[in-house]
Amino acid sequence: MMLLNTLLDELTGRGSGTEAERYERYKWLEQLRFTNPQAAEGGSMAGIPYYQWCRLPQALSVAGQHTDLLVGTTSSHYLVFEGRHAAAFAAELGLQYDANNRIDRPGGLDELLEAYEEQPDGSWATLPNEPPAPPQAGWDDVYFRVRDLSDGRTIQSVTTIAYESSRFPGYTLLGTTMVGVGAIVHDDETAEYLQQIFADWAIQRDCAATCPTSSTPWPCTPRQAPPLPSGTPFDFGRNLAYLDALLAAYVRAQARAQDDGGDSAYWACAAASVAYQVFSLRYTAGLPLPEVDSALEAAVAACETARAELAAAYDDDALPAFDFEQLTDYARTLQLLGATLLFGRHDLTARIAALQTAFDGEDGVYEALLATIDPQRPAVDEWYFAEPYSALYDCLDENDPAQQLEHLRQYLASWHGALVREDWFNGHLRAHGLGGYYGLWAFEAAAVAKHLSLDRSALAHWVMPPSP
């Protein structure tokens, strides 16, 4: 009974016991292993990517649900419950939704999709996918809490998660990573950064708590909507309220950091990221274009603030807002740039260009987009990331309309899969909780189609923004 109680404490994140107790539990679980036929290929639990199954001598109970089934590896253990209970477990244990795809899943979110295939070199190839391509029907929901166990000598933490996925429909996993896994030698810079991450998660949790579920149907026609597993409509109203609250909280955190000598650049960059999400979700939700336009201007202004904070932090006035050597920054720059061009806000396009003068003349895709309104931009025949952006460059470099269409179709088909490592990748599969989804749009593709007067009906794809 003592072993069961301490095991329950560990799996629910309430406590972990001493190292000796953890070792005793490990040896005990070794004796309880069995082969579960449901985990074999084609079985109902085949989507749970572990093969160490244990049948406990007595069922454990969480939030009124009972199970005696345990699955795991040497680094983590999860109770397996029949039914979908992640939200109830989150309420019972104080877990928050993983909106930013930062928490490791048992097996990884990417395994949900059959549309992408990992190659031996670690790259991803897109399987045939004829337009119009709908969003994937898979889904993934993770609620989590991270306990910081750092002791001044090492930096370590333990993560509790409640997890549901279309890879194992009808089941919920609840458990933790094992204490001590991933511990690194303490250094002040890493410790300070982790404290910022924990403070950031706390802000997200507090903002979510202020945003109740909408009581009325969403009044606008969405421009894109995620496929929710429950079949209920996506709660645009609640998610818009959450992002607005989160943006305001980050702005306040930035102001406090300026007053107390903290890292105000961190919070300014966080605010800039959320400002883009606010714009994107307003567009996605089908709000009137004037409201979308004002949100786009606010997103560009937030990038300007972040750039100023970074310049002050690093004592470098030439520092760009986005680092083109990082795919995350590069992709977001082209999305923002494409949105300003699509909406005809060339004043905002110029403001983005002013943030990136450090990269003038270095990237062909970026320069080709700017050249659509400024013929004086330099012609450059190389760029930072081949996938998926070579197809976009080829489209802008081509004169034959049929070839332009073909290049842009190729770009749309490869865009989502090529960005598989981004935090917002598969946001439409994490749309059950707040902040996981704000629309997935290749705004730069729509801007190019507009500039070249291409037939939009031949470019139907779920990441292609409708004409404004």
Side-chain angles (χ1 to χ4, degrees):
M1 180 61 70
M2 183 189 71
L3 289 172
L4 276 171
N5 289 338
T6 59
L7 177 65
L8 181 61
D9 285 344
E10 180 169 282
L11 295 175
T12 55
R14 296 186 176 104
S16 300
T18 65
E19 184 175 349
E21 289 171 334
R22 294 195 296 272
Y23 180 74
E24 185 179 359
R25 284 199 304 272
Y26 174 78
K27 299 302 292 183
W28 174 62
L29 290 173
E30 285 280 313
Q31 303 170 31
L32 299 175
R33 288 186 182 177
F34 76 108
T35 300
N36 187 355
Q38 293 172 286
E41 185 175 354
S44 58
M45 295 182 181
I48 302 177
Y50 296 118
Y51 302 101
Q52 300 175 5
W53 295 84
C54 299
R55 185 72 73 183
L56 301 175
Q58 181 178 323
L60 298 178
S61 178
V62 182
Q65 303 300 321
H66 310 277
T67 186
D68 62 354
L69 190 59
L70 187 73
V71 63
T73 67
T74 56
S75 62
S76 56
H77 283 136
Y78 301 96
L79 292 169
V80 181
F81 294 84
E82 290 190 27
R84 297 190 58 200
H85 310 294
F89 293 159
E92 173 86 5
L93 301 173
L95 313 182
Q96 69 186 93
Y97 192 76
D98 177 28
N100 302 315
N101 199 18
R102 297 287 179 86
I103 303 302
D104 289 339
R105 274 75 167 151
L109 174 61
D110 305 331
E111 294 183 14
L112 287 175
L113 298 182
E114 296 179 354
Y116 307 102
E117 193 169 70
E118 191 167 8
Q119 305 301 302
D121 63 357
S123 64
W124 288 73
T126 305
L127 302 181
N129 191 9
E130 296 298 324
Q136 300 297 319
W139 51 271
D140 167 90
D141 285 316
V142 168
Y143 298 83
F144 76 97
R145 181 179 67 248
V146 177
R147 286 189 293 139
D148 184 9
L149 302 179
S150 304
D151 57 9
R153 294 167 299 168
T154 60
I155 297 174
Q156 58 182 338
S157 61
V158 58
T159 305
T160 303
I161 75 167
Y163 182 40
E164 298 171 358
S165 167
S166 58
R167 288 189 294 115
F168 43 90
Y171 295 92
T172 301
L173 302 190
L174 175 67
T176 62
T177 56
M178 296 295 284
V179 176
V181 173
I184 60 175
V185 176
H186 182 278
D187 72 84
D188 291 340
E189 184 176 352
T190 302
E192 182 178 355
Y193 176 72
L194 287 177
Q195 288 304 315
Q196 285 179 319
I197 295 295
F198 295 149
D200 193 345
W201 283 336
I203 287 175
Q204 294 176 41
R205 183 185 63 245
D206 292 344
C207 288
T210 67
C211 300
T213 301
S214 299
S215 58
T216 58
W218 182 244
C220 303
T221 301
R223 296 179 175 96
Q224 183 188 86
L228 293 189
S230 61
T232 58
F234 179 71
D235 195 337
F236 281 102
R238 186 183 184 214
N239 275 267
L240 283 166
Y242 168 71
L243 289 181
D244 286 341
L246 188 58
L247 179 57
Y250 284 155
V251 171
R252 290 194 297 270
Q254 176 195 343
R256 286 195 299 270
Q258 288 176 328
D259 291 340
D260 62 20
D263 189 354
S264 58
Y266 174 93
W267 300 110
C269 289
S273 179
V274 173
Y276 174 83
Q277 296 173 28
V278 168
F279 149 70
S280 182
L281 188 56
R282 274 167 164 66
Y283 177 80
T284 302
L287 288 176
L289 289 179
E291 292 186 47
V292 177
D293 187 83
S294 61
L296 176 59
E297 184 167 356
V300 174
C303 292
E304 291 169 332
T305 300
R307 192 266 184 103
E309 291 285 358
L310 288 168
Y314 290 94
D315 193 23
D316 183 358
D317 290 336
L319 204 66
F322 300 97
D323 181 2
F324 280 2
E325 295 182 356
Q326 305 297 321
L327 180 55
T328 297
D329 281 13
Y330 186 85
R332 182 51 46 84
T333 304
L334 295 192
Q335 284 178 300
L336 263 176
L337 196 62
T340 62
L341 293 169
L342 180 63
F343 283 85
R345 289 297 307 269
H346 297 170
D347 58 321
L348 298 181
T349 306
R351 286 166 62 177
I352 293 173
L355 295 173
Q356 296 300 112
T357 54
F359 288 100
D360 282 355
E362 290 195 13
D363 185 88
V365 179
Y366 172 73
E367 295 295 350
L369 283 170
L370 288 175
T372 63
I373 62 168
D374 181 5
Q376 301 305 311
R377 299 295 303 192
V380 182
D381 61 359
E382 58 183 7
W383 45 97
Y384 279 89
F385 296 97
E387 295 297 332
Y389 297 102
S390 293
L392 190 63
Y393 178 87
D394 291 341
C395 178
L396 286 163
D397 193 46
E398 179 61 62
N399 293 319
D400 177 44
Q403 288 299 309
Q404 290 171 341
L405 270 175
E406 183 57 34
H407 288 309
L408 204 52
R409 277 196 291 259
Q410 179 185 345
Y411 182 71
L412 290 167
S414 62
W415 184 82
H416 184 241
L419 299 172
V420 67
R421 302 302 180 194
E422 298 309 298
D423 288 348
W424 43 265
F425 175 80
N426 280 349
H428 61 298
L429 306 186
R430 291 178 281 110
H432 190 266
L434 289 173
Y437 169 78
Y438 45 89
L440 287 156
W441 299 112
F443 285 111
E444 62 277 15
V448 169
K450 176 183 176 182
H451 171 68
L452 297 175
S453 300
L454 297 179
D455 179 9
R456 290 294 298 269
S457 65
L459 294 167
H461 195 284
W462 67 281
V463 301
M464 181 66 160
S467 297

